[in-house]
Amino acid sequence: MDRSQRKMDHIQHALATNEQQTNSFDEIRFVPNSLPNIYYGNLNLDVNLASFRLASPILINAMTGGAAATTTINQKLAIIAREKGLAMAVGSQMAALRDPSVRDSYSVVRKENPHGILFANIGAEATVEQALAAVEMLEADGLQIHLNVMQELLMPEGDRDFTGYLERIQRIRDQVPVPVLVKEVGFGMAKETIGKLIDIGIPMIDIGGRGGTNFAKVENMRRSTPLPMFDDWGLTTVESLLEARDWMEHGSSFIATGGIRHGLDVAKALALGADAVGIAGGFLRIVQTQSIEDALHTVDEWHHQLRVAMTALGIKRLKDFLHVPMILSGRSYDYAQQRQIDVSSLANRD
């Protein structure tokens, strides 16, 4: 099967595997503030992500490209990013690096959003030369390097050799002229992995946890002999953020992707230490099922929901979420206990 058909299969199956109605964010509650002493209209949604200053903590995360039919999807996403001031990443550009005929399915985002913050995207198997070409293709402001070991293992035509990944990432980080972001695609990150990335100076890390688009299920839908026992592989987004807690004072910025359904989930991720959140499946659905006008309204609603949470908690700036007390329960709490992650302080923050 060629890469273009694979890209279309991924979109079809991603849409078919509906977003979970519940996920790990439901195991978090904020301690309410009945005297917030604040005005909704005075809130600030600006955020610092490494060297970038963003107007919103919401990023349109990597989704697609590499087929003629995906050009329209990326075009719509770029329009939303432009109109709402959102940073945006494209899907893996390896397809265009191997087949220049699909280059426009990626470069369209820069045409539609000439002044926005855009991230190029390659896999950890890429060379420095491929990384530079991906950045040039978009005139990108940053570069995502995605990690998707389980997806590759389940993909019928996927990679089987993952040796040298960390060394390749370091070479790319040292030689590309833009900041590098390393992201998981939905299987989460443990503190051991995060530590290795910080040790080589990666300025942005997307912990990409389980809870959103499930690429194990997507690839199993493409297999003649599925391996469904791996459908729930990995860590949830909440578990991954807990794993990152010990590394959040080491200079890297963290993005939480995986199962962000609405503005309250954004608030919970920020309160767990994320600097920003990524949404992929949610954006794919709205551009495939809504007009541009309705999609823009949906983004406004997400921002409104975030502002409601901020007002109810009495905070004016996103970084103040780190001082809001929150209660962790259920499987996420049990996980933290077994991994010896101290979460007691979360409930008693001032």
Side-chain angles (χ1 to χ4, degrees), residues 103-119:
R103 181 185 174 105
D104 286 350
S105 67
Y106 300 98
S107 60
V108 66
V109 300
R110 182 54 82 189
K111 294 176 183 176
E112 289 291 347
N113 191 9
H115 306 297
I117 296 175
L118 299 178
F119 286 87

Side-chain angles (χ1 to χ4, degrees), residues 78-115:
I79 292 171
I80 294 171
R82 182 190 71 212
E83 294 302 310
K84 295 304 172 183
L86 308 182
M88 176 184 172
V90 297
S92 174
Q93 291 167 258
M94 299 303 289
L97 295 175
R98 294 186 172 103
D99 178 7
S101 69
V102 297
R103 181 185 174 105
D104 286 350
S105 67
Y106 300 98
S107 60
V108 66
V109 300
R110 182 54 82 189
K111 294 176 183 176
E112 289 291 347
N113 191 9
H115 306 297

Side-chain angles (χ1 to χ4, degrees), residues 66-79:
T70 65
T71 304
T72 300
I73 295 174
N74 275 339
Q75 182 180 32
K76 292 178 179 178
L77 292 171
I79 292 171

